[in-house]
């Protein structure tokens, strides 16, 4: 990339997004997309952005886990305006379609343009939150956009528990206003969100010897619609881990099966679209077991025909090269947990219409030699409800016994809606000036890092904006590039409103 006195010039060799406007944004979006940046693998992208900022003479702070703080002075006439914090996160969710091999540790995203939409190629796109980072870089690179003093905060590990925001040193910030760029609706202003907490449900493993002569099979649930565990939870989509538990309970009752492995889910903030179990059973029950599973699979497919039309349940023979299985009590306990852990919408707001107040997503399951672990993520706009759901999970561990335990982590507070917010008022004024109509104001069930910034910076005033994106955290993720120009206009108009 080369820089002239007045504009940024991006290399266009093999560019997929050349010709899209605003060119400066799409140049940075494509540049960032070429860099591997899954959670915990953000050093390369952090160094890239830090070098970009230093080349422009900007003040850069980079901490030991690769969070970035970049400061830029206000433009003429805005030098003494209140400082504005701009926020985005550098990490993305890394997931690929079945049969697609993509080395996320070393390869960037291969972009694909299809009509109005930008996609990955068999993978997640990472618009969440490459969009926010590209907007921030576009502003940092500009010399003709009026703005107040800027403190650009780009965090890491957002998709795995908001670790970057948890770690970030808030004392380095002087601003009391924050504009986040991790929203997905260009026709609304995002003005409040839930907090969340995650919980590991663990059962110590006891192993038994696999009986001689047994057959083995993989029971697999796949093809689900999946989606973001907070943005999409109200859509009542199927959960592959919960369905697998349902099928395993049937199999245990009908076929006296043993379990050797459990695996499912990709990320704490993704409704699991795939899960599987490796099971063992006596040949004498094979036919009856298959028939029972096929009948139950048909019933499940009918139940979820609207939300998950591509749901697939398979029961396939496996070479069976294993010699140990879970003990009967552990297998029963694990299956009970898969079936009984709270999952989906738990309560709805009585204050904001059509808003989910609290939920839980049973997001991940795995086992090693020592234990079975099931991870849930619990967002709620009311802290007491969030902790009550955690307590119910603890109660389940007590009922199951077997040494089961619950460990919580990544506790993030909510960001309550404030109708008197100066940032919200400025956003409304900017939107009406640019588009001649009032924006929708949204309060969401999603849990962003903004609750943590509210905790770190007392009296902070926040707002979030962004272009249209769909199915984030899935391989169907897509960015409507035709809405980016409107967001860019809104961003510049909002900055001009913040002189005072």
């Amino acid at each position: 990339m080369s820089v002239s006195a007045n504009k940024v010039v991006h290399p266009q060799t093999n560019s997929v997004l050349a010709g899209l406007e605003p060119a400066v944004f799409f140049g940075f979006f494509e540049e960032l997309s070429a860099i591997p940046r899954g959670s915990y693998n953000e050093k390369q992208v952090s160094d890239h952005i830090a070098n970009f900022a230093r080349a422009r003479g900007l003040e850069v702070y980079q901490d030991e886990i690769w969070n970035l703080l970049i400061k830029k002075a206000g433009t003429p006439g805005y030098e003494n305006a209140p400082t504005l914090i701009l926020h985005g996160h550098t990490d993305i969710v890394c997931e690929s379609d079945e049969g697609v091999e993509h080395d996320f540790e070393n390869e960037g995203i291969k972009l694909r343009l299809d009509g109005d939409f930008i996609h990955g190629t068999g993978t997640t796109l990472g618009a969440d939150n490459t969009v926010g980072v590209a907007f921030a870089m576009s502003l940092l690179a500009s010399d003709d956009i009026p703005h107040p003093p800027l403190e650009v905060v780009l965090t890491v590990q957002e998709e795995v528990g908001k670790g970057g925001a948890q770690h970030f040193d808030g004392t380095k910030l002087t601003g009391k206003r924050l504009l986040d760029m991790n929203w997905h609706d260009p026709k609304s202003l995002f003005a409040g969100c839930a907090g969340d907490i995650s919980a590991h449900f663990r059962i110590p493993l006891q192993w038994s010897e696999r009986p001689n002569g047994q057959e083995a099979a993989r029971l697999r649930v796949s093809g689900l619609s999946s989606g973001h565990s907070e943005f999409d939870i109200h859509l009542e989509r199927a959960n592959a881990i919960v369905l697998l538990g349902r099928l395993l309970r049937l199999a245990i009752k009908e076929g006296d099966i043993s379990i050797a492995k459990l695996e499912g889910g990709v990320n704490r903030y993704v409704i699991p679209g795939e899960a599987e179990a490796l099971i063992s059973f006596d040949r004498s029950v094979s036919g009856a077991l298959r028939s029972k599973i096929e009948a139950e699979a048909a019933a499940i497919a009918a139940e979820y025909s609207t939300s998950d039309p591509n749901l697939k349940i398979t029961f396939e023979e496996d070479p069976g090269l294993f010699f140990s299985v879970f003990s009967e009590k552990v297998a029963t306990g694990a299956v009970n947990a898969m079936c009984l852990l709270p999952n989906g919408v738990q309560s709805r707001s009585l204050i904001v219409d059509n808003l989910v107040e609290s939920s839980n997503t049973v997001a991940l399951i795995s086992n090693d030699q020592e234990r079975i672990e099931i991870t849930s993520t619990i967002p709620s706009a009311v802290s007491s409800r969030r902790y009550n759901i955690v307590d119910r999970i603890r109660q389940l561990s007590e009922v199951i016994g077997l040494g089961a335990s619950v460990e919580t982590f990544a506790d993030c507070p909510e960001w309550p809606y404030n109708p008197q917010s100066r940032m919200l008022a400025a956003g409304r004024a900017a939107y009406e000036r640019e588009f001649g109509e009032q924006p929708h104001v949204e309060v969401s069930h999603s849990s962003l890092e903004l609750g943590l910034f509210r905790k770190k910076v007392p009296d902070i005033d926040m707002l979030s904006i962004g272009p249209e994106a769909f199915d984030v955290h899935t391989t169907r993720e897509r960015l409507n590039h035709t809405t980016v120009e409107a967001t860019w206009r809104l961003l510049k108009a909002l900055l001009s409103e913040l002189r005072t």
Side-chain angles (χ1 to χ4, degrees), residues 201 203 241-242 244-246 248-250 252-253 259 262 328-342 365 374 396-397 399-402:
F201 186 105
I203 301 176
I241 294 171
V242 175
L244 180 63
R246 175 174 165 178
L248 287 171
R249 176 166 168 76
L250 172 71
I252 288 173
K253 289 168 59 180
I259 302 173
L262 293 169
E328 182 178 348
K329 287 184 178 180
V330 166
T332 300
V335 170
N336 286 342
M338 294 165 73
C339 294
L340 296 176
L341 279 166
I365 189 169
I374 308 173
L396 180 60
S397 73
V399 170
I400 287 176
L402 302 171

Side-chain angles (χ1 to χ4, degrees), residues 225-228 232 237 469-478:
S225 297
S226 184
H228 195 295
D232 297 325
R237 290 173 176 170
F470 297 96
D471 292 320
V472 296
H473 294 183
T474 78
T475 57
R476 302 185 309 283
E477 183 182 6
R478 58 203 183 277

Side-chain angles (χ1 to χ4, degrees), residues 165-404:
Q166 298 269 7
H167 183 83
F168 183 78
D169 183 358
T171 65
K172 294 187 176 297
L173 297 172
T174 63
K176 294 285 189 176
R177 296 173 175 175
L178 184 149
L179 180 63
D180 173 74
M181 292 171 288
N182 195 16
W183 185 230
H184 303 148
D185 180 1
K187 294 185 178 180
S188 69
L189 305 175
F190 184 40
C193 71
D196 70 1
I197 190 169
S198 291
H200 292 312
F201 186 105
R202 293 168 174 152
I203 301 176
L205 256 175
Q206 301 168 10
W207 294 91
S208 299
E209 185 177 351
R210 180 187 176 195
N212 290 328
Q214 285 198 339
E215 292 187 6
R218 286 190 182 271
L219 180 57
R220 180 174 175 79
V221 180
S222 62
L224 305 191
S225 297
S226 184
H228 195 295
S229 62
E230 296 166 346
F231 288 122
D232 297 325
I233 197 68
H234 65 289
L235 299 175
E236 303 287 351
R237 290 173 176 170
N239 181 307
I241 294 171
V242 175
L243 291 185
L244 180 63
R246 175 174 165 178
L247 292 164
L248 287 171
R249 176 166 168 76
L250 172 71
I252 288 173
K253 289 168 59 180
E254 298 296 330
D256 193 24
I257 68 159
S258 299
I259 302 173
K261 184 179 180 181
L262 293 169
E263 185 174 19
V266 296
N267 182 282
R268 293 190 305 112
Y269 293 108
V270 179
I271 301 166
E274 297 180 358
E276 68 175 28
L278 178 60
I279 62 175
S280 179
F281 48 88
D282 191 86
R283 288 189 177 90
S284 63
V285 302
S286 178
L289 183 59
R290 182 179 294 277
S291 295
K292 289 286 186 180
I293 288 174
E294 287 176 350
E296 189 70 5
I300 291 171
E303 291 172 21
Y304 291 98
S305 60
T306 300
S307 65
D308 295 85
N310 298 314
L311 183 153
K312 185 178 180 182
I313 294 171
T314 56
F315 182 71
E316 298 177 346
E317 292 184 9
D318 188 271
L321 300 177
F322 57 94
F323 303 97
S324 298
V325 294
F326 302 171
S327 72
E328 182 178 348
K329 287 184 178 180
V330 166
T332 300
V335 170
N336 286 342
M338 294 165 73
C339 294
L340 296 176
L341 279 166
N343 183 71
V345 175
Q346 300 296 299
S347 64
R348 294 182 182 270
S349 175
L350 300 180
I351 299 171
V352 180
D353 289 342
N354 302 315
L355 177 67
V356 174
E357 182 181 69
S358 64
S359 71
N360 185 49
T361 294
V362 179
L364 297 164
I365 189 169
S366 63
N367 73 271
D368 56 19
Q369 290 298 308
E370 302 297 323
R371 66 190 180 193
I372 300 163
E373 182 172 275
I374 308 173
T375 302
S376 294
T377 297
I378 307 132
S380 178
V382 179
S383 293
S384 59
R385 286 195 184 274
R386 186 161 70 247
Y387 299 135
N388 178 254
I389 293 170
V390 171
D391 190 56
R392 288 162 56 197
I393 293 173
R394 292 192 192 281
Q395 287 178 285
L396 180 60
S397 73
E398 294 165 6
V399 170
I400 287 176
L402 302 171

Side-chain angles (χ1 to χ4, degrees), residues 124-157:
T124 42
L125 171 63
D128 177 6
N129 185 230
T130 308
V131 161
V133 181
F135 273 129
M137 294 178 74
S138 299
L139 287 176
L140 292 173
S142 74
D143 57 10
D144 59 355
I145 299 173
H147 62 74
L150 300 178
E151 294 179 329
V152 175
V153 178
L154 302 176
T155 50
V156 298
Q157 300 173 25

